[in-house]
Amino acid sequence: MTEKSIGVAVIGGGMAGRAHAAGYRMASTLFGTDRPDVRLVAIADANQAVADDTAKRYGYARAEYDWTAIADASDIDVVSVVVANHLHREMVEGLLAAGKHVLCEKPLAGSAEDAEAMLLAAERSDSVAGVGYTYRRSPAVEQIRRELAAGTVGELVHFNGHYWCDYGLDPTSPITWRYRGGPGTGALADVGSHLIDLSEFVCGPITEVSGATFHTLITERPVPVGTTYGHTKAEVTGEMAPVENEDVATFTATFANGAIGTFSASRVAHALPDGLGFELFGSQGSASWQLFRASEYEISVVGDRPELAGPRRVIIGPDHPYIRGGLPMDAGGVGHGKAEFFAYQARAFLDQVAGIDGGLAAVPDFATGVHSMRTVAAITESALGGGSTVKVV
């Protein structure tokens, strides 16, 4: 890194990789101009066409076809790793050893053991290392977290969360890494890990899980001819391969403050392409948020006139987190979506790397990522044990 600029790269040119690439591109427009310039250096992907397309589409100087080229490049300081979970460890360890700052997409690794090894590598390094739990950057979620901390809705009683998606409902969709890896690596790790982190961001740490159940609706899928990206269709070989993990996961949890949580994650939820949301109930009120209405939330508090009691809709505006200086039109009612979360995350990580206190919360560190992996492991143990109660260690 030079004094005046930070060179960035993204490993992985697929769906989430493009979101990271766009986030860095937007980051230089956010929250003032007193930060180092952002140089969009490279996109790396083993698929040459994908790397070339993503680099050109988002204005990066070049494409690379091997992640080691990113590790070896002297003009790159910050790297997002956005590839299949089981590939994270090798890349992250290599990048940290090369002196790069690393933002690794969630979940941190393919297993708790790999995640713990990555944490050790980060602790041995002088680089900044973070995990991409993007929904922490929602202005509405951050405001609900603040209201709970301030006692607006009283003491937390119950958190109910869901992440329901439909990307796995079509049985003709080909087998990919998302459908391999064993129990706990399916819907739970893919979308459930976001939900778990979101609940702990708002409510505090989970200490115990119980009642977990896994279900696989589609037990085999067609084998694709080549590499697939995201949830798109692909040419198939005519062969079938077994699905190794769960389509649906449900469980209950206990938070450190004694509150309870109920959770469900699914990749076979009809007509819900990205159905993340939660309800939070306190002793003096409640709040809720849904991703498909990202720029608003609902809140209700004791003390309202009885004839006006009930949830009120709050439209996100410049009095809420991230909006002032974080949108081109930073006025009430303009609205925002998921893309802005990636931009806020990128800006926060770049500020950390530059050592700037820009007023943005730090990106979750690898220790947070390890805790999430241990929570997923505990839920998996509960499911395999017939719903047994398991401590998160």
Side-chain angles (χ1 to χ4, degrees):
M1 185 179 77
T2 69
E3 267 187 35
K4 296 185 177 179
S5 69
I6 300 174
V8 302
V10 178
I11 300 175
M15 180 176 62
R18 294 195 301 271
H20 278 252
Y24 286 121
R25 179 171 177 161
M26 293 172 63
S28 60
T29 71
L30 304 178
F31 310 121
T33 58
D34 54 345
R35 275 91 160 171
D37 291 339
V38 179
R39 288 180 287 107
L40 307 178
V41 180
I43 302 292
D45 198 284
N47 184 315
Q48 181 174 339
V50 169
D52 289 345
D53 179 83
T54 304
K56 183 175 182 179
R57 187 179 299 275
Y58 295 101
Y60 284 69
R62 65 178 183 266
E64 301 285 3
Y65 314 120
D66 189 318
W67 73 267
T68 59
I70 302 297
D72 293 339
S74 60
D75 56 349
I76 293 171
D77 308 297
V78 167
V79 184
S80 276
V81 175
V82 198
V83 294
N85 302 339
H86 66 279
L87 301 176
H88 288 182
R89 178 179 175 179
E90 179 187 9
M91 293 184 183
V92 167
E93 289 181 338
L95 292 164
L96 290 172
K100 309 303 184 189
H101 305 282
V102 179
L103 175 57
C104 183
E105 181 59 19
K106 67 81 214 166
L108 185 55
S111 68
E113 293 76 17
D114 279 354
E116 287 162 2
M118 292 163 65
L119 173 59
L120 288 175
E123 290 173 342
R124 291 192 297 263
S125 169
D126 293 328
S127 298
V128 180
V131 188
Y133 284 114
T134 317
Y135 296 109
R136 289 181 175 223
R137 301 296 164 178
S138 160
V141 170
E142 171 64 19
Q143 188 63 36
I144 291 172
R145 186 188 70 84
R146 294 181 184 186
E147 299 292 357
L148 178 62
T152 305
V153 297
E155 296 295 319
L156 178 66
V157 176
H158 179 204
F159 174 95
N160 178 62
H162 58 268
Y163 204 156
W164 298 329
C165 301
D166 61 4
Y167 67 82
L169 186 57
D170 185 347
T172 68
S173 294
I175 195 88
T176 68
W177 62 267
R178 283 186 168 84
Y179 301 101
R180 295 188 167 107
T185 66
L188 180 62
D190 194 21
V191 295
S193 59
H194 265 311
L195 178 60
I196 292 164
D197 180 75
L198 197 61
S199 75
E200 294 192 302
F201 176 64
V202 174
C203 304
I206 290 172
T207 58
E208 184 179 274
V209 298
S210 61
T213 59
F214 291 168
H215 177 67
T216 304
L217 175 69
I218 299 168
T219 58
E220 61 177 13
R221 291 183 178 275
V223 176
V225 170
T227 303
T228 62
Y229 287 82
H231 308 306
T232 58
K233 291 292 189 69
E235 183 182 356
V236 296
T237 64
E239 299 176 36
M240 302 295 286
V243 172
E244 300 172 1
N245 51 32
E246 70 286 348
D247 288 330
V248 180
T250 65
F251 65 97
T252 62
T254 303
F255 294 96
N257 55 19
I260 64 167
T262 49
F263 298 79
S264 64
S266 175
R267 60 191 183 194
V268 290
H270 179 259
L272 282 172
D274 208 8
L276 173 63
F278 67 84
E279 296 81 36
L280 181 153
F281 302 96
S283 59
Q284 300 291 314
S286 60
S288 66
W289 175 78
Q290 305 291 331
L291 178 59
F292 59 79
R293 301 183 75 102
S295 58
E296 63 184 63
Y297 68 98
E298 290 191 342
I299 189 166
S300 178
V301 295
V302 169
D304 286 344
R305 289 163 45 195
E307 67 272 25
L308 299 178
R312 65 171 67 94
R313 184 176 64 157
V314 180
I315 304 298
I316 294 298
D319 292 326
H320 295 104
Y322 292 106
I323 299 303
R324 196 179 303 276
L327 291 175
M329 295 178 65
D330 52 359
V334 171
H336 64 269
K338 192 171 177 178
E340 281 81 6
F341 303 168
F342 283 93
Y344 301 153
Q345 175 179 265
R347 180 71 273 165
F349 192 65
L350 293 167
D351 286 357
Q352 285 177 253
V353 169
I356 294 171
D357 182 3
L360 302 177
V363 171
D365 59 15
F366 276 16
T368 302
V370 167
H371 169 75
S372 179
M373 293 296 299
R374 289 174 178 168
T375 304
V376 167
I379 296 163
T380 303
E381 182 180 344
S382 173
L384 297 179
S388 59
T389 298
V390 181
K391 297 283 187 183
V392 178
V393 295

